[in-house]
Amino acid sequence: MRPLRLIPDDTAFRAMRWRGLAFAITILTLLATVTSLATRGLALGLDFTGGVLVEARRNAPFEIAQLRAQLTGLQLGEVSMQAFGGDRDVMIRVQQQPGGAEAQMRAVSAITAMLGSNFEIRRSEVVGPQVSRELLRDGVVSALLAVLLIGIYVWFRFEWQFGLSAVLTTFHDVIAVVGLFSLFQLEFNLTIVAALLTVAGYSVNDTVVVFDRVRENRRRYKTLGLSALIDRSVNQTLSRTVMTSGTTLLAVLALLVFGGPVLRNFSLALVVGLVVGTYSSVYVASALLLYMPSPQPSGEPSRPDDGAAAPAPGD
């Protein structure tokens, strides 16, 4: 039985022919992101702005929508709710209240009074501005370290050209997702930081698959132009990319559609990250190799010409 292939074996898509258009799209995306971040910033969630956190448990299941409406009636500002461990436990977060520590404690009292005797208060605490700033700093540092370590890994596995390309590509994917949240002022919290780290990992995985095939083909077709060699490598991995990205995207889309408001932004970040990561593995990571010092084996000159014809797929 032959394996399932969504892309024919004889596909000869010349991806590098469109690299100029792809680079223009990439540059416009980065410019839009930088402009939005500079002018609008991010809509930071409670994790990064501070506020009140209350965890409660009820013996019987409760309705999130009804409880959210009751909390909104307290007029405490932004309210975030998340069920965890089933439909009997709930985590309530309320934005930082003006008026210092006393105002925060009044907010806790108002929430516990509204919950009444039906709920058991498991935990209540106030996240101050100092803690929220530390969380924001740690989130940024973790994302930057992830990108840096990814580049070091690719550098040691391949060559420095591949490592630098992987770093720039991963940064591109992460900043594109951040730009989306800035442009549409979607809530940016620790959950989104986790999504960004997931996107970074997925991006480098897809990139490494293409890079690995480029390395193999460099050894096999030593006189083939680099542009044609990259095209050939992309075509050889295209079926795997479509199947992997497609099945992952279907799962994440299910979360986006049926996951509810709690998972909506997280799922959206993953959806955008998957699409951008698949695009960038070809039109950022691979295309950048054409503009770097030759990654060809020692003694083998690079020929990054578009006119070189790739050998037939069956060769």
Side-chain angles (χ1 to χ4, degrees), residues 104-183:
Q104 315 310 315
M105 297 310 299
R106 285 198 297 269
V108 172
S109 300
I111 293 172
T112 54
M114 187 276 298
L115 295 175
S117 59
N118 293 328
F119 283 87
E120 173 192 355
I121 305 300
R122 309 296 300 275
R123 177 164 70 110
S124 63
E125 62 183 48
V126 175
V127 180
Q130 178 64 30
V131 174
S132 60
R133 282 194 296 267
E134 291 177 358
L135 288 174
L136 179 59
R137 180 199 62 198
D138 293 345
V140 172
V141 170
S142 63
L144 292 178
L145 282 178
V147 174
L148 177 62
L149 291 175
I150 283 170
I152 293 174
Y153 161 75
V154 177
W155 186 340
F156 277 99
R157 177 168 176 177
F158 298 96
E159 299 170 30
W160 71 265
Q161 295 95 334
F162 292 90
L164 178 59
S165 179
V167 168
L168 295 176
T169 302
T170 307
F171 177 78
H172 162 270
D173 298 345
V174 170
I175 202 67
V177 177
V178 172
L180 173 76
F181 277 76
S182 174
L183 187 63

Side-chain angles (χ1 to χ4, degrees), residues 1-5:
M1 180 179 295
R2 298 185 61 184
L4 175 64
R5 290 185 178 275

Side-chain angles (χ1 to χ4, degrees), residues 126-298:
V126 175
V127 180
Q130 178 64 30
V131 174
S132 60
R133 282 194 296 267
E134 291 177 358
L135 288 174
L136 179 59
R137 180 199 62 198
D138 293 345
V140 172
V141 170
S142 63
L144 292 178
L145 282 178
V147 174
L148 177 62
L149 291 175
I150 283 170
I152 293 174
Y153 161 75
V154 177
W155 186 340
F156 277 99
R157 177 168 176 177
F158 298 96
E159 299 170 30
W160 71 265
Q161 295 95 334
F162 292 90
L164 178 59
S165 179
V167 168
L168 295 176
T169 302
T170 307
F171 177 78
H172 162 270
D173 298 345
V174 170
I175 202 67
V177 177
V178 172
L180 173 76
F181 277 76
S182 174
L183 187 63
F184 294 98
Q185 289 295 286
L186 302 174
E187 182 182 349
F188 190 90
N189 51 33
L190 282 176
T191 305
I192 307 306
V193 174
L196 292 179
L197 296 177
T198 304
V199 167
Y202 184 90
S203 172
V204 74
N205 178 71
D206 211 29
T207 300
V208 164
V209 169
V210 178
F211 279 178
D212 199 48
R213 189 55 59 93
V214 169
R215 180 173 60 178
E216 291 177 5
N217 286 335
R218 280 167 52 202
R219 297 168 180 168
R220 185 177 182 187
Y221 307 109
K222 296 183 178 179
T223 61
L224 187 64
L226 185 56
S227 178
L229 187 143
I230 292 175
D231 280 342
R232 181 173 181 82
S233 302
V234 169
N235 286 317
Q236 289 175 342
T237 58
L238 197 57
S239 179
R240 176 264 176 203
T241 298
V242 170
M243 292 189 66
T244 303
S245 301
T247 52
T248 307
L249 188 61
L250 286 175
V252 178
L253 282 174
L255 281 178
L256 179 63
V257 175
F258 303 109
V262 174
L263 295 176
R264 184 165 296 137
N265 287 351
F266 175 78
S267 305
L268 179 62
L270 290 181
V271 168
V272 175
L274 286 172
V275 174
V276 173
T278 303
Y279 154 85
S280 67
S281 65
V282 176
Y283 283 113
V284 179
S286 300
L288 281 175
L289 294 177
L290 295 173
Y291 301 94
M292 294 185 183
S294 172
Q296 294 285 73
S298 177

